[in-house]
Amino acid sequence: MAQTKNVNFIDESEAAALLPSLPEPFAVLFERGDVSVELFSPRGVDTQTPHAQDEIYIISSGRGTFCLEDEFFDFEQGDFFFVPAGVEHRFIESSDDFRTWVIFFGAPRD
């Protein structure tokens, strides 16, 4: 992943190769102000709890089912989800190749 003075470049396949060696199922790849970008690939059960910031998921690879409160959505590569801060959500089923970009943004909420 190369960084220049004004632009960051993230090679998704390079970042994905790091995930199996990390203690958590995600890698924080960019942070600035109230924005954070991660690559996330849950291992087995997704144990997320509600977050203090709004977040966006953009599915990088794979497919599965996403639960947002009491609604269920089938997803595949290229799909987009917005999750408001404090809302219960998780990936409840996913293929072995599932990865998603996660973008946290905005001021944290209690």
Side-chain angles (χ1 to χ4, degrees):
M1 290 170 278
Q3 182 175 1
T4 63
K5 185 174 181 179
N6 296 312
V7 177
N8 283 292
F9 170 77
I10 300 170
D11 181 317
E12 194 271 349
S13 60
E14 187 178 314
L18 296 173
L19 288 173
S21 66
L22 298 176
E24 299 292 336
F26 62 88
V28 178
L29 302 172
F30 177 83
E31 292 180 298
R32 178 175 288 164
D34 66 357
V35 174
S36 174
V37 176
E38 300 178 0
L39 190 60
F40 176 58
S41 180
R43 301 170 186 142
V45 176
D46 178 2
T47 60
Q48 292 188 74
T49 57
H51 305 286
Q53 288 180 284
D54 289 339
E55 63 185 309
I56 291 171
Y57 290 102
I58 302 171
I59 308 304
S60 171
S61 66
R63 61 186 58 232
T65 302
F66 182 70
C67 179
L68 179 65
E69 293 187 311
D70 60 354
E71 292 187 76
F72 297 85
F73 303 90
D74 291 333
F75 67 83
E76 61 184 24
Q77 182 178 2
D79 288 346
F80 171 102
F81 293 103
F82 168 74
V83 179
V87 173
E88 285 281 343
H89 64 284
R90 67 182 28 84
F91 295 93
I92 59 170
E93 295 177 13
S94 57
S95 59
D96 291 341
D97 63 340
F98 168 60
R99 288 189 305 274
T100 185
W101 292 102
V102 184
I103 304 165
F104 291 99
F105 63 97
R109 299 184 209 161
D110 294 333

